[in-house]
Amino acid sequence: MNQVLNTLQPSAIWRHFQTLCNTPRPSYYEAQLRDHLIQWATSLGLETYVDPAGNLLIRKAASKGMEDRETVVLQGHLDMVAQKDADVDHDFTKDPIVTQVVDGWVHATGTTLGADNGIGVAAAMAVLESTDLPHGAIEALFTIEEETSLRGALQLEEGLLKGKILLNLDSEDRGDVYIGCAGGVDINIEKHYKALPVVGNKTAFKIVVSGLRGGHSGLDIHKGRASANVLLIRLLNLLKEECDFGLSGFAGGTLRNAISRDASATINVNSADESKLFAFVTEFERRTQTEFVSTEPKLLVSLIPSEVDSELEADAKEALLNAIYCAPHGVHRMSADLDGVTETSCNLGVINLKNSKEGEKVFDACLLVRSLVGSAIEHLAHVAKSAFSLIHADVNLENGYPGWRPDPNAGLLKHFLDVHKDVMGQEANVKVIHAGLECGIIGAKYAGMEMVSFGPNIRGAHSPTERMEIDSVGDFWRLLVALLASTPKAV
């Protein structure tokens, strides 16, 4: 089994991150890792508890001389995003993550790395295992399903935590400290269609949009990257003006919180329209490559011969493609109060039109709306709901979660800034993140708990380009150790 990380420093944290890479843990499959952590913690004589939702809490007593300090909650999530390159054979439920070191960064090999949030879990494990680090009482909280639904945090057992200070270890920029985050809601859509046989002499083609960078639907939504789903639906809507085609199916994206990198649709065309189709796709590729020349240098749009399949009725095809085209995607509004911060956005994360066992065509989609403002979440979610209500689809707003309102005067923030300057030799950047940190949810359950979020440099999260800077992990560890050693006395 790959053990390349065991040679890196500080070994206390990298050794545990190697364990996480070796243990499959996509969302919904965290049990194997959780069981390993329970066995490991028990061998150290630590108290463990699994709440009804499946979250794991490990408690460690204060080190000698630190018994009078506040209890600190170290918080991260067990699951990782499961994304891979199309040509990579990898089963995230069974296969370990294969890592490599390139120019001072740790990468995976054609898959997501799981640094989000494996490095936070590894750091907490290193603290729990330590015998020489000064710290007050520790509660290490490891949640589940953060990447898909935030269910672990949303269903966290009431009254479980005793600590009044929470250090969230799930941020991705050295030198930054986060004191607020966006809330959000999932929009899940489904509609069933009658499947019609293909009439006449038609040829099938698969249209493929590929080569996109993808990325995190919160952290990268403002960077001008293309969505494969949006480009595919755009292509199909424009193609309607050029030639007649039957729509057999499409598929794009795998996660609501990842900007889609690949998408494809299967269509049926008359032989007389084949030349129009080829010409249109070639021109569409040229125009979109020009449009996204700076952000998507590897964008490709291709045609592949396929098998003729059943198709949608013409009016149903027209209405469905129009509805998806109307769905919001991208930045809706930038914050008027925080320079450079996205306030409200929507990600068209997943779209599918496929055959059912009952012989129907089933359309489903998932969008994720994020915002720092609760009323803006409600507004944009209902914009999306209205678009799909026009085709009488079933639309459900699910897994809503609150944001984390910034408190720039919090005592914990001042303490963090002082320690950061001592350890790093420079001021930390105080930020608000356009992503759904679990702090907002946990904070709503524990009034008065003070929280900050920080971490090492991670780039390309939620995509196979995910990587983590080695030197920044050392800084992250030194900062965490210093924070714990200077935990204020309990009031």
Side-chain angles (χ1 to χ4, degrees):
M1 187 173 290
N2 184 49
Q3 299 290 334
V4 65
L5 304 182
N6 287 338
T7 63
L8 302 180
Q9 296 294 327
S11 60
I13 191 170
W14 284 111
R15 178 166 42 84
H16 292 302
F17 185 66
Q18 180 70 72
T19 296
L20 269 70
C21 290
N22 293 341
T23 310
R25 53 189 177 90
S27 301
Y28 309 116
Y29 293 87
E30 302 96 335
Q32 181 179 348
L33 177 59
R34 184 179 58 216
D35 291 345
H36 170 81
L37 291 179
I38 292 171
Q39 183 177 9
W40 168 82
T42 301
S43 71
L44 296 174
L46 303 178
E47 175 189 348
T48 66
Y49 175 75
V50 179
D51 77 354
N55 302 305
L56 172 61
L57 181 68
I58 302 177
R59 287 192 170 99
K60 182 184 182 184
S63 58
K64 186 176 180 180
M66 298 285 286
E67 295 86 355
D68 61 344
R69 307 303 176 98
E70 290 282 6
T71 297
V72 174
V73 181
L74 301 179
Q75 193 265 317
H77 60 86
L78 296 178
D79 59 323
M80 64 173 284
V81 167
Q83 289 274 289
K84 66 182 185 68
D85 288 329
D87 59 349
V88 171
D89 183 16
H90 186 92
D91 185 342
F92 283 94
T93 68
K94 298 177 182 178
D95 300 333
I97 301 299
V98 179
T99 56
Q100 56 183 327
V101 175
V102 181
D103 297 330
W105 292 74
V106 173
H107 301 244
T109 308
T111 71
T112 37
L113 174 63
D116 174 13
N117 178 228
I119 196 64
V121 175
M125 291 175 68
V127 171
L128 291 171
E129 186 181 58
S130 68
T131 58
D132 58 349
L133 296 182
H135 58 75
I138 298 293
E139 294 181 317
L141 175 63
F142 304 117
T143 52
I144 63 166
E145 297 176 27
E146 189 270 353
E147 299 291 5
T148 53
S149 66
L150 292 164
R151 185 177 71 86
L154 287 167
Q155 297 182 11
L156 179 66
E157 182 176 336
E158 299 286 345
L160 180 61
L161 302 176
K162 308 303 180 186
K164 297 179 181 179
I165 292 173
L166 184 142
L167 304 181
N168 173 273
L169 309 177
D170 191 18
S171 292
E172 301 174 359
D173 292 284
R174 173 177 52 188
D176 292 349
V177 57
Y178 289 90
I179 62 169
C181 71
V185 67
D186 296 346
I187 307 164
N188 292 307
I189 303 111
E190 184 174 295
K191 183 173 174 61
H192 292 245
Y193 291 95
K194 182 179 180 181
L196 300 181
V198 177
V199 178
N201 184 23
K202 290 188 175 182
T203 305
F205 291 94
K206 179 178 284 190
I207 304 171
V208 180
V209 178
S210 62
L212 303 186
R213 297 176 66 183
H216 190 289
S217 68
L219 304 181
D220 299 318
I221 199 71
H222 65 291
K223 295 181 179 179
R225 297 179 184 178
S227 159
N229 291 344
V230 172
L231 287 184
L232 180 69
I233 298 303
R234 173 176 164 182
L235 184 155
L236 293 173
N237 272 282
L238 295 174
L239 182 61
K240 292 185 302 183
E241 308 298 321
E242 300 294 324
C243 67
D244 184 39
F245 65 90
L247 180 62
S248 291
F250 52 72
T254 58
L255 292 168
R256 87 218 195 290
N257 59 353
I259 302 169
S260 56
R261 297 180 297 112
D262 306 284
S264 64
T266 302
I267 64 172
N268 306 307
V269 296
N270 294 315
S271 57
D273 286 330
E274 287 186 30
S275 60
K276 292 182 181 178
L277 173 64
F278 275 87
F280 175 82
V281 170
T282 299
E283 178 63 9
F284 184 87
E285 180 186 56
R286 184 194 68 80
R287 292 173 62 191
T288 51
Q289 285 176 340
T290 300
E291 180 180 344
F292 294 98
V293 63
S294 298
T295 56
E296 300 292 357
K298 297 181 180 180
L299 188 160
L300 294 174
V301 184
S302 53
L303 273 177
I304 303 172
S306 187
E307 298 293 327
V308 174
D309 190 5
S310 58
E311 58 188 35
L312 290 186
E313 185 270 330
D315 287 346
K317 175 196 72 176
E318 179 85 10
L320 176 60
L321 293 178
N322 285 339
I324 306 174
Y325 208 17
C326 289
H329 174 83
V331 175
H332 180 70
R333 186 165 62 207
M334 298 297 289
S335 174
D337 302 315
L338 302 165
D339 290 342
V341 173
T342 303
E343 180 200 275
T344 307
S345 73
C346 185
N347 182 52
L348 181 62
V350 181
I351 56 170
N352 290 296
L353 178 66
K354 54 193 175 184
N355 297 323
S356 73
K357 294 180 180 179
E358 292 74 26
E360 297 178 309
K361 297 281 188 185
V362 180
F363 165 68
D364 66 76
C366 186
L367 297 82
L368 172 57
V369 172
R370 302 180 191 265
S371 183
L372 301 174
V373 181
S375 59
I377 296 174
E378 179 183 49
H379 164 64
L380 198 55
H382 280 82
V383 170
K385 183 175 182 179
S386 295
F388 292 105
S389 294
L390 291 173
I391 60 171
H392 306 290
D394 292 326
V395 183
N396 295 298
L397 306 185
E398 300 174 336
N399 301 319
Y401 55 92
W404 171 22
R405 186 168 184 170
D407 180 5
N409 298 313
L412 176 60
L413 175 60
K414 183 181 184 303
H415 176 65
F416 181 95
L417 294 176
D418 290 342
V419 172
H420 187 279
K421 188 171 184 179
D422 288 342
V423 173
M424 306 293 289
Q426 60 187 23
E427 302 284 352
N429 303 308
V430 181
K431 291 190 174 183
V432 174
I433 191 171
H434 189 64
L437 293 175
E438 293 166 294
C439 296
I441 302 168
I442 297 172
K445 294 175 180 284
Y446 291 88
M449 179 182 282
E450 293 193 355
M451 302 176 287
V452 294
S453 179
F454 63 104
N457 286 335
I458 298 171
R459 300 292 180 264
H462 296 191
S463 77
T465 64
E466 182 183 6
R467 58 202 183 278
M468 180 165 54
E469 189 181 35
I470 295 169
D471 285 348
S472 72
V473 172
D475 290 337
F476 168 57
W477 175 244
R478 291 192 297 119
L479 182 57
L480 175 59
V481 169
L483 285 166
L484 293 177
S486 59
T487 301
K489 292 184 178 181
V491 178

